[in-house]
Structure formats: C-alpha cells, structure tokens
Amino acid sequence: MSTNTAFDSSDEEMSSAESPFKFPPHPDDPAWLAVLSRVSSSLNLFCALISAVIVSLMTLLIIVEICLRFFSLSTFMADTLVGYGVAATTFLSAAWALEHGAMIRVTALTNVLPSAFQWLAEMFCLVATEAIFVFLINYQWHSVYKFWVRGTVGQHYIKIPLWIPESFFLIGLTLLGLQVLVRLLRVLAVGHKSEGSLKI
Amino acid sequence: MSVALASVLLLALLALFLGLGNWIFAGLLLSGAGAMWLILDFPWVRIGAIATKVISSSAVSWELAAIPIFIWMGDIIFRTDISERLFRGLAPIVAKIPGGLLHTNVFGCTLFAAISGSSTATTATVGKITVPELKKRDYSMSLAAGSLAGAGSFGLLIPPSIAMIIYGVLAEVSIAKLFIAGILPGIMMAALYSGYIAIMSIAFPNMAPRYDGDISLRAILKGLGELVPIGALMFVVLGSIYSGLATPSEAAAVGVFCAIVITILTRQFSVKLLVESLMNTLRISSMICMLIASSAFLSAAIAYMHLPTMITEMIANLNLPPYGVLLILAVLYIVLGMFLDGTSMTVMTVPIAVPLIIQAGYEPLWFGIYLVIMIEMSTITPPVGLNLYILQALTERSLGATILAAAPFFLLLCIGTALLAAFPQIVLWLPSAL
C-alpha cells in the first residue's frame, strides 16, 4: 500500500488508534519523552472533545434555525457561528487527527528506500513541517494579538471579537507543532521503526 | 520567469515535499511558502501575512459545515444494521434479473450512496454483507469484487457527496446544483454496471447461480419494508435540497437528526454509538478541511504567479480541440489517482483545471461531475486504490486478482465518462430543469 498515514503500524497500535480516547502506545519512549508525549496527547484529546461538542452544537443550531423558519423567525447568527464553528473544529482537532493517523501521507517512494534513507526522509519531513508550523505560529500570534489590542470585531449581525476565531487557528498550530516536535524527538531518541500509527 | 520554468519549479517543490512522505497538508503549506519565496521572491514577512490570512479565513465557511455533518450522518448509519437490511430488502427484488444477487452490490451501493458521501464507507458497508452471502451461494467472486469496486465509488457520484462539496467550495459552483447533476450520471453508471453483470451472467451462467430463496410478491413487499429506513433518510436529505427547502448544510443537520431517530426506532441507539461516530467524524473532516485550508494557501501562491492564466493561454495557443483538453486532464487524473487520494487530487488541481475547462468551452458544473468520476477511478487504480484494499480484505483474494476483477468496471467508468463528454446534457439537464 502506498498511501498511508505513517510508516509502520502494529495490531496493538491499530486497536489503540481505533479507540478515540486512548493514547497511541509508545513503549520504547524514554521517561522524559513519555511525559512530553502524554502532555501533547492530553491536550490533543481535550481539544478534540471541544471540537466534538462544537460539531454537535453546530448541528443543533442549524436545526433550531430551520424550526424557527416555520414561524418566520431567525437567530440571525447561524451562518456566522456555524462558519466559525467549522474553522474551530478543523483546527482544534487537527493535532488529534494527526496523532491518530488520520492525516494522509504518500509513501510510494519512501517504502522502497533503504532504512537509512527512510530515516533521513522522515527527519527532513519532520524538520520542514516543524519549521513551517513555527513560522505560522509566529505570524498568527501577531495577528491574534493585533485583534486583541485593537478590539476588532467581525462585520456580521453578531459582533464577535475577531481574536476568538483567530485563536482557534493559533491553538491548532501550536498543538500540531508540539505533536510534530514529539515525533521528531522520538525519531531521534528511539529511531525510525517505533514511530507509527494507523494505515488507511 | 517563464510559465514553463515556474511550473517545473512548483512541481519540483511538490515532488520534494510530498514524495518524501510528508503529510499532504503540510507538503502543500511548504510548497506554497517555497513557491512564494523561490519563484515570486516575496519577503518572509509578506509570506507569513498571506499564509495566516488565507488559511484561517478559508476554513470559515458555512458551506464547509456540510462536510463534518454529512460524514456524521453516514457514520451513524454505518454503525447500524443497515447492510443486513439492504441485502434482505434487495435480494428478492433483484433475484429474477440475469446475474441475480450480484445486482445487490450495484443497487445496494446506489442506495447507500444516497445517504453517504464516502466511497470507502459505501464499499465497506455493502460488501461486508453481500460478499459472504455471494460466496456462500457460489457466485463468481471476480464479478462480485469487480462490481463492488465499481459501484462502491458511487458514494462520490450520487448525492450527498463529500467530493462534490469540496469541488463546489473550491470552484465556487452551487453544491445543490452539483448534487442534482450527479443523479443521472449515477443512474447511468449503475445501468452500465448492471448491464455488464447481466451480459456476463448470460454468457457464463456458472458465474451467477439461480437464487434459491423466496421471490414471491409477499417476499418482495417484505423486502421493500426493510428498505424503509434508508428510503426515509434519502427522502428527507435529498428531498429537502431538491425542493429548495434546505441548503446542503441544513439538509446534513436534518439528516443527522433523522439518522438518530432511525437508530432509536430500530432500537440500536446508544451514547457509545453517538460519541464514537462523532469522534470518527472529526478524524475524517479534520483531514479534509486541513487539506482545503492548506491548498487555499498553495492556490494563493499559484494565483500570484498568474499560473492559471498563463497555462490557459498556453493551451489556447496550442489550438487543441475541447476533447483534447479533456483527454489531457483525464490522463493527468488517472496518473495522479494512482498515487493520491481524491481530496488531495481535487484541492491540488482545481485552481488550474477550472480556468482551462472554461476556456475549452465546458461548464464548471459539468466538470465537477467529470472530476468526481476521475476520483472514482482513482479509488480502484493501484497502487493507491483504497477500495481495492477494502475488497481484498473482504474477499480474501490476492491484490492482483482484485485489481483484475476491478479492471472491466474501470473500463465501464471510462465509457461512462466518454458518454458524458459526448452528451453533456446527461449532467446539465436535471439542474436546469429543476
């Protein structure tokens, strides 16, 4: 199989990844990395649960809006809140989805490379990805801070301070950056083979 | 910088960041930033400002809400006994058609596709019950696997379709019109598949033994009763869109509500089912929406390079007939489909392909259906054909045998595409009539 979500996946890892509330096991991690990994996994799961609540609320809000329509009424904010809700769920659950192997990667080429080259390719990918995340975090932080200081609000019926929706992207990027850092440290500390998650 | 050099550099960046096995969404971000820095010579401050603005705003969308909510609806139904009901309901109805129960694959996928936007979910749901039943009755496993491979991809073509929502958002085409446009091509493809199964069964009778079950009128009526839950959900979701009462996002929310009601009425509801379906929804929708958001940044880079305009002008100067452009795109998509999944293919190619197709005289609405069929092909072409791996596991045959079984249905998809190109009204008539 050439498209998968990571390199190796044992049955144990697959079964754990299938349970949304369990952290993927990494028995070979040194103690310091296990602590960091647990912090990252806990934050990922916490934000994924918030995303789940947001999806439920979005669905509920749309149904309420449809019901109100029968009485010629409207919340006047469903489209705005649902739009921001989509962004919030996407960014808040991205790191959890990455950790649980839902993000696609193409491994047609790397699968046929010798092990040492696979390690180098993985290092390159992780360093490049971490670099772009740190770069984006830096600029997104400035953006959120600017909205906070200026008190900028959205141009909709409901005046939402823009630093709130912009923060979802910042939080998502930070969690992604932490998750990739954990993977990077794991590849350095434990080696390539221990890194794995679900195949699709 | 010339269009050729800019294109080659961009392709080189994509090949580097995707080919080395990076996550596709991260590869798109890196390629976009790399293109702005290397090709456009933008300062990093400007790249950072563009990236954060484009990515964060591209995910704020009412239309995109249909993606997580439709996935949730399909996932709730996927966790019920829907596949057993589909088989029990369809078996007495299709038993007399040449090919017998093999048609449960085609009709089952067509029906399930009407409540699910995913081809993998359609293949897995229908296949998990039809494959063991067909195997037990000595049906040709080659024809069973092939028909499932082909019909499983209906999840993309028959509305509601996640692929159509993504295309609609990216190409700014009405999602409701795309949903309507997919119906006739979907029925046409189902007829092509069923016709092929019937012809093969008449030519080689041992491929499809006679059905030994009850096929009386009473059995048929009882079978139709089994299909009531799926019919009700189809009626509510598609009916609300086609009647103009609801947008696709609203129809998705109503669909989730109805799916929950169905699980309660059929005594299958549990909090565990609801929570697990919701968490699985997050995995898939986050992956798709992250791809859309990161591709928006790459699209911005491509737009700053004026690449769509330049490529369109270049192709126009070649004086290719419209079919020539379609053929080039078909080859490109088939090759891409061997290595990429449908969502990645869509987000990476739409910014360039849509201006090209408009230049060639085709409607973006028509191209949406064409693109969906190209994505369908990608699900059954090796080495990356997700449906092939699902079928391999279901039929317990080798991957090579599964690929061979799917090959005739791949050719039928090609024939279907040619028919749509020759008669665009198959796609365009229903949206203009409704």
Side-chain angles (χ1 to χ4, degrees):
Chain A
M1 185 167 181
S2 298
T3 296
N4 80 26
T5 48
F7 288 97
D8 309 302
S9 68
S10 64
D11 289 344
E12 189 187 15
E13 281 169 340
M14 287 188 76
S15 61
S16 79
E18 276 167 7
S19 169
F21 303 109
K22 284 185 185 168
F23 301 153
H26 299 287
D28 298 331
D29 279 2
W32 60 271
L33 185 55
V35 171
L36 190 61
S37 176
R38 202 161 183 80
V39 169
S40 170
S41 300
S42 305
L43 290 171
N44 292 345
L45 180 60
F46 177 70
C47 286
L49 289 172
I50 293 174
S51 297
V53 173
I54 294 172
V55 171
S56 312
L57 291 176
M58 275 161 49
T59 310
L60 198 65
L61 180 60
I62 293 173
I63 291 170
V64 168
E65 183 69 28
I66 294 168
C67 293
L68 287 175
R69 205 176 290 162
F70 290 109
F71 305 100
S72 301
L73 296 169
S74 173
T75 60
F76 296 110
M77 57 181 177
D79 54 345
T80 310
L81 290 181
V82 169
Y84 285 136
V86 176
T89 54
T90 301
F91 296 131
L92 291 181
S93 60
W96 176 80
L98 183 92
E99 185 186 9
H100 284 255
M103 298 292 184
I104 298 169
R105 58 198 307 183
V106 181
T107 54
L109 178 64
T110 50
N111 275 349
V112 296
L113 290 175
S115 192
F117 284 102
Q118 283 189 15
W119 189 90
L120 277 175
E122 176 70 350
M123 280 303 291
F124 173 79
C125 290
L126 288 172
V127 169
T129 305
E130 186 67 12
I132 192 83
F133 285 156
V134 171
F135 173 73
L136 292 173
I137 288 167
N138 178 34
Y139 282 94
Q140 185 61 13
W141 164 251
H142 283 106
S143 176
V144 172
Y145 182 72
K146 191 176 70 186
F147 285 133
W148 167 269
V149 169
R150 293 181 184 172
T152 316
V153 293
Q155 301 297 311
H156 300 284
Y157 183 80
I158 172 173
K159 303 290 181 197
I160 297 175
L162 281 182
W163 67 267
I164 298 174
E166 289 290 325
S167 296
F168 294 130
F169 183 34
L170 180 63
I171 295 167
L173 279 172
T174 309
L175 292 179
L176 281 167
L178 184 58
Q179 177 61 212
V180 172
L181 178 67
V182 168
R183 283 181 178 245
L184 184 59
L185 293 172
R186 187 172 291 130
V187 171
L188 284 170
V190 187
H192 171 83
K193 290 288 176 188
S194 74
E195 189 56 62
S197 57
L198 261 183
K199 282 185 180 180
I200 51 173
Chain B
M1 190 177 286
S2 73
V3 60
L5 186 57
S7 305
V8 167
L9 273 174
L10 184 64
L11 285 175
L13 284 169
L14 282 166
L16 174 72
F17 289 121
L18 300 185
L20 286 179
N22 208 346
W23 293 281
I24 293 178
F25 81 93
L28 297 181
L29 291 176
L30 287 161
S31 302
M36 284 187 177
W37 183 59
L38 272 177
I39 302 170
L40 294 164
D41 203 19
F42 281 5
W44 285 108
V45 178
R46 190 173 176 197
I47 297 171
I50 294 170
T52 49
K53 186 168 171 46
V54 169
I55 298 166
S56 63
S57 61
S58 64
V60 180
S61 161
W62 162 263
E63 285 78 16
L64 276 185
I67 291 178
I69 305 177
F70 266 133
I71 293 172
W72 192 16
M73 180 189 85
D75 208 274
I76 291 170
I77 289 296
F78 176 73
R79 288 163 197 271
T80 65
D81 65 348
I82 200 81
S83 48
E84 287 89 346
R85 280 176 181 272
L86 270 175
F87 187 81
R88 286 198 304 262
L90 287 171
I93 297 170
V94 300
K96 281 190 174 173
I97 307 173
L101 296 187
L102 283 169
H103 294 283
T104 54
N105 278 343
V106 179
F107 295 140
C109 286
T110 308
L111 286 177
F112 190 77
I115 55 164
S116 166
S118 150
S119 82
T120 45
T122 305
T123 310
T125 307
V126 176
K128 77 180 174 188
I129 186 73
T130 59
V131 168
E133 291 288 343
L134 292 171
K135 195 184 263 183
K136 201 166 68 187
R137 292 175 167 85
D138 283 334
Y139 275 79
S140 157
M141 270 301 104
S142 171
L143 210 47
S147 56
L148 250 182
S153 59
F154 286 167
L156 300 168
L157 186 59
I158 294 176
S161 157
I162 302 300
M164 286 183 192
I165 298 170
I166 296 168
Y167 175 78
V169 169
L170 293 175
E172 296 178 358
V173 174
S174 159
I175 295 166
K177 280 194 173 178
L178 279 167
F179 279 6
I180 297 168
I183 294 177
L184 284 184
I187 293 170
M188 181 190 80
M189 290 311 307
L192 277 176
Y193 289 168
S194 270
Y196 175 76
I197 290 171
I199 290 167
M200 290 300 285
S201 306
I202 292 167
F204 307 99
N206 60 339
M207 282 186 135
R210 286 174 70 85
Y211 180 56
D212 51 2
D214 185 6
I215 50 169
S216 63
L217 182 64
R218 193 178 163 188
I220 291 173
L221 289 175
K222 197 179 165 197
L224 286 173
E226 297 277 11
L227 301 177
V228 165
I230 201 168
L233 199 52
M234 273 171 62
F235 177 77
V236 168
V237 172
L238 300 184
S240 60
I241 296 172
Y242 299 150
S243 62
L245 284 175
T247 64
S249 301
E250 289 170 344
V254 175
V256 166
F257 176 74
C258 288
I260 292 171
V261 170
I262 287 171
T263 57
I264 292 169
L265 291 177
T266 54
R267 297 181 181 178
Q268 295 174 80
F269 180 80
S270 67
V271 176
K272 185 171 178 263
L273 178 145
L274 202 63
V275 172
E276 285 187 355
S277 63
L278 192 49
M279 295 307 276
N280 195 46
T281 297
L282 283 180
R283 284 183 206 204
I284 303 166
S285 75
S286 179
M287 180 269 286
I288 293 173
C289 293
M290 281 301 288
L291 275 176
I292 292 173
S294 49
S295 76
F297 176 51
L298 181 65
S299 299
I302 290 172
Y304 276 114
M305 290 157 67
H306 303 292
L307 217 49
T309 318
M310 289 197 287
I311 290 176
T312 307
E313 279 171 6
M314 198 176 76
I315 299 276
N317 289 338
L318 291 175
N319 288 322
L320 284 172
Y323 285 135
V325 177
L326 273 189
L327 206 61
I328 290 172
L329 284 174
V331 172
L332 172 79
Y333 280 123
I334 290 171
V335 172
L336 279 179
M338 291 177 177
F339 302 98
L340 290 172
D341 69 297
T343 308
S344 309
M345 263 168 63
T346 308
V347 298
M348 286 167 68
T349 59
V350 161
I352 290 176
V354 170
L356 261 183
I357 217 75
I358 293 171
Q359 167 82 25
Y362 290 97
E363 296 232 8
L365 179 66
W366 179 89
F367 182 66
I369 303 302
Y370 171 89
L371 178 61
V372 166
I373 296 181
M374 292 295 126
I375 298 170
E376 284 190 356
M377 288 181 183
S378 78
T379 65
I380 54 172
T381 46
V384 182
L386 286 183
N387 283 4
L388 292 176
Y389 295 99
I390 292 171
L391 282 168
Q392 188 198 359
L394 284 171
T395 57
E396 294 170 341
R397 303 170 89 218
S398 70
L399 184 61
T402 312
I403 292 166
L404 277 179
F409 292 86
F410 177 83
L411 290 177
L412 288 172
L413 272 174
C414 294
I415 292 169
T417 314
L419 284 172
L420 294 187
F423 307 103
Q425 286 307 312
I426 298 171
V427 173
L428 300 173
W429 176 71
L430 209 50
S432 61
L434 283 175

